[in-house]
Structure formats: structure tokens, C-alpha cells
Amino acid sequence: LAGGPDMEDNHKDETNDFVYNEVTIDYNAGFVGALAGLYEYFGADQTFTKWTPPEEPKVNPYSIEAKVEQENKQRTQVSVRVHQEFVTPPTMVDDLSARYYFDISELLDSGETLDDVQIALYYDEAASLGEKPATITGPTRVGTTGNQYYITIAWPGAFIGKRDLQFGVIAKQNTSTYEDYWDPTNDYSRTGLSDTEIGPTNNIPLYRAGTLVFGK
């Protein structure tokens, strides 16, 4: 048993780095003692039975949670938490992206267009940790016609665990009526989100290298 990884699960495979790679008496003594005990109580005159442990159930290492932080007739502000917990084997992933879908029918009905929609990034945990910042691109229309669009959130920095991000979809005030017409109730990705606590959602699909890995 060697020293092992640090608190961030990083390991330096360098012989002269004793913190990560030394083999010491204290924790190896317990290992040897356990083997000695197994031999003492179970290792003599026992019938050998060939046994293979059952295969562990496959677990999806990817998931998304979200929460509405603020909402009114001008904007919807959402926190997204993406989970990447590859453990078989532990793997740093740098090609994740998610899509947030929304509908601008109410804006078009009031004489506005997609140009009256702005996207704002309020918080990026990856950037705060000194990693490559997350990016937000779009809006991109769904298909060639229709009123539904999505923004793409991408995490180009490799990580294991979770990363939080908060963004806003903002509608400008109508310059003709001086009224605000933003309505999130018809937005696919807004459906089912709580405004009190973060929770899982299937309506913000997550992709790895362009392939859907979580959500719908």
C-alpha cells in the first residue's frame, strides 16, 4: 500500500516523491495483520470453492441539477450543477456540454425578435478554481423553423466531481409599448425546476463530445 493520491485525487507517480509513493510500516502492518488473521482462522484445511463476485450494476457517471434563482417578466436566472463522477477508472473529462431550451413565442407576439434576447453569465465555478472557464454560446434555433432555441454551456476544462454555473436569459423591454413580455412557462428546460432548492432535471440534456449522456 503506497501513500496514494491527495485530497483532490491527484497522484504523482514519481519514486522520489515520498508523500505520494512511500511504503511505510504503519498502514501496511494492518494489511499484513489482516491477512495473517484470515490465514489463522480460515486458511487451513478449507475446501476451495471457485467463486466470482457478481458484476456491479452500471452507474451513469453524469447528471445535471438546476434551480431557478430569480425570475420575472424580464428574465430567468438559473443555477446549473453538472456532475461528472467517473470511477471505473477515475477519469478527467473535458468535453462536456449542456443545452438550456427556451421558447420566445411571447416575444414574437409582442413584435420583438431573437435579437431582443440576451444571455448573461453570473458565476462559473470552473473559472473560480483557476480552470478553463466555461463558455456559453447561442442562442441556436431548434430546427429550421419555430420559436424554440437553446444555449450551449460547455466545460472545456477537465474535472472530476461537480461544477456549478449560473446564467440568465434576459429579454429587453419592448421599445414600442415599454412593457416586458418574457414568459418562462413555455420553456422546455424551465419545466419542473424549483426556486427554493437545487434538484435533478432531465430537461437540460448533457452531452459528452456531442453524444447525449444524460437527460432528454
Side-chain angles (χ1 to χ4, degrees):
L1 299 178
D6 60 20
M7 294 297 290
E8 299 299 325
D9 207 29
N10 299 309
H11 182 263
K12 296 180 181 178
D13 189 13
E14 299 175 4
T15 303
N16 59 358
D17 193 330
F18 69 90
V19 175
Y20 291 94
N21 299 294
E22 71 176 347
V23 180
T24 63
I25 294 174
D26 51 4
Y27 45 80
N28 279 277
F31 182 51
V32 174
L35 293 176
L38 288 171
Y39 178 79
E40 174 69 21
Y41 295 106
F42 305 105
D45 301 322
Q46 300 296 313
T47 301
F48 174 74
T49 301
K50 186 176 182 180
W51 177 77
T52 301
E55 183 178 356
E56 294 183 3
K58 293 183 179 180
V59 177
N60 189 348
Y62 306 106
S63 64
I64 282 233
E65 297 179 291
K67 172 182 179 290
V68 175
E69 298 291 349
Q70 181 186 121
E71 196 164 66
N72 49 44
K73 287 190 174 183
Q74 295 85 34
R75 72 177 65 204
T76 296
Q77 190 168 322
V78 177
S79 285
V80 170
R81 178 173 295 163
V82 59
H83 293 269
Q84 189 288 102
E85 296 167 346
F86 241 111
V87 295
T88 54
T91 304
M92 302 283 279
V93 172
D94 63 358
D95 51 4
L96 291 181
S97 63
R99 292 179 179 180
Y100 186 90
Y101 289 85
F102 58 94
D103 191 312
I104 64 168
S105 295
E106 70 279 1
L107 301 181
L108 298 177
D109 291 342
S110 69
E112 295 179 288
T113 69
L114 181 65
D115 293 335
D116 296 305
V117 177
Q118 296 178 331
I119 308 299
L121 174 61
Y122 297 112
Y123 174 71
D124 175 14
E125 183 180 13
S128 70
L129 293 173
E131 302 169 355
K132 288 184 179 180
T135 62
I136 298 181
T137 56
T140 303
R141 177 179 250 162
V142 179
T144 57
T145 61
N147 304 333
Q148 295 198 53
Y149 292 81
Y150 64 87
I151 58 172
T152 300
I153 307 164
W155 288 267
F159 72 93
I160 293 178
K162 64 92 177 171
R163 292 294 180 270
D164 286 355
L165 183 138
Q166 189 177 134
F167 66 93
V169 183
I170 308 163
K172 296 179 182 178
Q173 188 178 72
N174 189 300
T175 56
S176 299
T177 64
Y178 300 102
E179 297 286 341
D180 299 298
Y181 295 99
W182 177 251
D183 180 8
T185 59
N186 60 354
D187 295 345
Y188 175 75
S189 292
R190 170 62 179 85
T191 304
L193 298 188
S194 169
D195 59 1
T196 57
E197 59 182 340
I198 197 164
T201 176
N202 283 316
N203 291 3
I204 304 177
L206 182 65
Y207 300 82
R208 182 179 182 189
T211 299
L212 182 69
V213 293
F214 182 84
K216 299 179 181 179

